[in-house]
């Protein structure tokens, strides 16, 4: 009797952990007991049987300068991950998102096990900056699972076989979300304006953005004292967010992961740190303002390489600034207060923005097959091709 197929999954932050868990589930549906997992991940992957040798929270690094400061720790974890691949001898390794960490892992595994099929799940955003990373990735892995159709040509030009699987964020079940129930459970009147703040899922994002958002809300409430405020505490940073929000000098409804989509449906306007959450908000019909800041020196270095006009994915897909974006020095309380205030003051403007946001999701592949299932099929095809089956 042949042994089960062994798949290595490697994720270094919360979004990758969710993708890895979805992929593991889809592979188990196809193979049942004939698949086993090893690798690196967070709690969602652990629930699917991936026992991580270390806590991935320490790898949630943002910005070049922070990356340099954490280089020693990252290098150690790369070596551990490559050693795991050498020891466990998986049939393939899937390296999920987190460019800085996973490209190092890919090179280390390739050096130790040149025959092991390497699959990258989510490529670097070369359409936004440093297009040379497409060539780097093509030289390091065998296949790419891309989230969006506009990703693929960048990598295929470099000879990297690419499968577009779509984004799991586009498959959020908005129909099950109940904004009215969320408002009722918090004592928020049906006609009250509700601002939903989503400060991020990385510790560095919370450190930079939470004070900006607190000051923004404070300004908004001086002219709109009846404004209700809810803040989402993502699982990976929940304690930090809760502690910060507890010190804010006004009432805040703290929202956990389980209530997040209900809160999105309930929101009049959202103020969010750039990321996958912008897609989820668009699906939920919430008009939004997007903000983002990184370490100042990292930004000075990075802006030399940035070529994209937008950072919000549906803005990129539409090639239009549908949702306002304020990056780095523009992400100030004064500017954010004005942008959020415009949407709160003009329901017609807010409704039109929400409509255009949702329409732009069609350009990102809304309504396509389940990404985890497409990813599982692609992984099995790569393994079969490599083994000659």
């Amino acid at each position: 009797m042949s042994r089960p197929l062994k798949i290595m999954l490697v994720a270094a932050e919360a979004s990758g952990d969710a993708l890895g868990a979805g992929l593991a589930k889809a592979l188990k549906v196809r193979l049942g007991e004939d698949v086993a997992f090893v690798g690196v991940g967070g709690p969602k992957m652990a629930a699917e049987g991936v026992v991580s040798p270390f806590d991935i929270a320490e790898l949630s690094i943002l910005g070049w300068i922070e990356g340099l400061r954490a280089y020693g720790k990252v290098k150690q974890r790369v070596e551990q991950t490559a050693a795991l691949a050498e020891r466990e001898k998986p049939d393939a390794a899937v390296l999920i998102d987190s460019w800085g960490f996973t490209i190092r892992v890919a090179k280390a595994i390739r050096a130790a096990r040149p025959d092991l099929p390497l699959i990258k799940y989510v490529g670097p955003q070369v359409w936004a900056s440093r297009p040379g990373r497409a060539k780097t990735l093509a030289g390091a892995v065998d296949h790419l699972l891309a989230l969006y159709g506009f990703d693929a040509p960048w990598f295929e030009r470099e000879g990297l076989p690419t499968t577009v699987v779509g984004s799991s964020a586009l498959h959020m079940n908005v129909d099950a979300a109940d904004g009215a129930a969320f408002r009722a459970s918090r004592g928020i009147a049906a006609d009250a304006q509700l601002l939903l703040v989503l400060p991020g899922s990385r510790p560095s994002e919370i450190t930079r953005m939470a004070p900006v958002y607190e000051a923004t809300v404070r300004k908004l409430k001086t002219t709109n004292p009846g404004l209700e405020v809810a803040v989402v505490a993502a699982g990976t940073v929940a304690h930090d967010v809760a502690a910060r929000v507890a010190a804010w000098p006004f009432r805040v409804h703290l929202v956990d992961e389980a209530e997040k989509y209900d809160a999105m449906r309930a929101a009049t306007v959202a103020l969010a740190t750039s990321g996958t959450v912008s897609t989820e908000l668009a699906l939920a019909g919430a008009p939004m303002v997007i903000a983002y800041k990184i370490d100042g020196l990292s930004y000075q270095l990075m802006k030399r390489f940035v070529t994209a006009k937008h950072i919000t994915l549906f803005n990129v897909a539409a090639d239009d600034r549908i949702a306002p974006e304020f990056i780095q020095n523009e992400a100030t309380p004064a500017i954010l207060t004005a942008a959020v205030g415009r949407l709160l003051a003009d329901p017609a403007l807010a409704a039109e923005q929400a409509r255009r946001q949702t329409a732009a999701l069609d350009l990102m592949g809304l309504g396509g097959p389940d990404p985890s299932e497409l990813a599982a099929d692609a992984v099995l095809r790569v393994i079969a091709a490599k083994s000659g089956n």
Side-chain angles (χ1 to χ4, degrees):
M1 183 176 169
S2 62
R3 70 170 177 84
L5 199 66
K6 186 182 287 187
I7 309 291
M8 183 175 188
L9 303 175
V10 178
E13 57 186 2
S15 57
D17 182 42
L19 289 175
L23 176 55
K25 280 182 184 177
L27 286 166
K28 284 193 282 191
V29 167
R30 280 154 181 72
L31 301 175
E33 294 183 0
D34 290 328
V35 65
F37 301 102
V38 296
V40 172
K44 292 181 180 178
M45 285 169 60
E48 299 303 324
V50 182
V51 180
S52 183
F54 53 83
D55 185 353
I56 64 171
E58 64 192 42
L59 294 174
S60 191
I61 300 160
L62 195 66
W64 289 5
I65 300 307
E66 288 176 11
L68 287 172
R69 290 175 185 145
Y71 177 75
K73 177 65 73 177
V74 171
K75 186 170 182 290
Q76 178 188 357
R77 296 314 191 194
V78 167
E79 290 169 356
Q80 275 185 272
T81 306
L84 181 67
E86 200 165 3
R87 183 172 67 250
E88 292 289 341
K89 295 181 170 48
D91 296 288
V94 182
L95 311 176
I96 307 167
D97 212 349
S98 302
W99 169 254
F101 179 70
T102 56
I103 191 62
R104 290 173 172 82
V105 170
K107 291 177 178 178
I109 292 178
R110 183 67 90 210
R113 285 203 52 198
D115 60 325
L116 178 66
L118 295 180
I119 301 160
K120 185 73 172 72
Y121 191 175
V122 187
Q125 293 179 332
V126 293
W127 44 264
S129 68
R130 291 175 287 161
R133 291 177 295 173
K135 185 174 184 179
T136 301
L137 185 61
V141 303
D142 300 295
H143 201 92
L144 170 65
L145 307 178
L147 300 190
Y148 307 106
F150 55 76
D151 286 322
W154 294 85
F155 299 96
E156 291 170 338
R157 280 197 292 266
E158 301 298 340
L160 180 59
T162 300
T163 301
V164 177
V165 300
S167 169
S168 57
L170 291 169
H171 290 259
M172 181 184 87
N173 185 3
V174 184
D175 294 338
D178 192 334
F182 176 85
R183 283 176 173 258
S185 71
R186 303 306 179 97
I188 301 172
D191 60 350
Q193 290 190 318
L194 172 62
L195 174 65
L196 180 65
V197 179
L198 302 100
S201 60
R202 296 183 177 102
S204 56
E205 289 172 343
I206 305 306
T207 300
R208 290 205 174 83
M209 302 311 302
V212 175
Y213 294 152
E214 178 190 355
T216 300
V217 175
R218 192 193 296 257
K219 284 178 171 290
L220 287 164
K221 285 183 74 69
T222 58
T223 55
N224 188 356
L227 179 66
E228 297 275 5
V229 180
V231 177
V232 174
T236 49
V237 292
H239 293 301
D240 186 14
V241 172
R244 290 172 182 272
V245 166
W248 289 10
F250 38 79
R251 186 174 76 153
V252 174
H253 305 278
L254 199 64
V255 180
D256 63 25
E257 290 277 2
E259 304 173 289
K260 180 174 72 171
Y261 298 146
D262 294 334
M264 289 179 178
R265 287 297 289 266
T268 310
V269 177
L271 174 59
T273 299
S274 177
T276 306
V277 72
S278 62
T279 301
E280 296 174 330
L281 285 165
L283 279 167
M288 72 195 82
V289 172
I290 298 296
Y292 208 67
K293 295 181 80 162
I294 60 173
D295 173 88
L297 185 51
S298 290
Y299 179 73
Q300 291 303 318
L301 293 168
M302 188 177 293
K303 71 177 185 178
R304 302 180 186 185
F305 302 95
V306 172
T307 54
K309 292 184 287 186
H310 317 288
I311 63 166
T312 304
L313 285 171
F314 60 76
N315 284 351
V316 173
D319 192 24
D320 191 11
R321 188 64 62 90
I322 297 171
E325 303 175 353
F326 301 100
I327 311 306
Q328 207 64 13
N329 297 331
E330 290 186 338
T332 66
I335 290 174
L336 296 178
T337 297
V340 172
R342 278 192 292 273
L343 291 173
L344 289 171
D346 190 341
L349 177 67
E352 175 61 12
Q353 181 180 315
R355 184 196 66 75
R356 294 180 64 213
Q357 289 173 178
T358 305
L361 298 180
D362 290 336
L363 302 172
M364 294 169 59
L366 182 63
D370 181 80
S372 294
E373 294 181 7
L374 292 181
D377 291 340
V379 168
L380 295 176
R381 283 198 306 272
V382 171
I383 293 172
K386 196 80 170 182
S387 63
N389 293 338

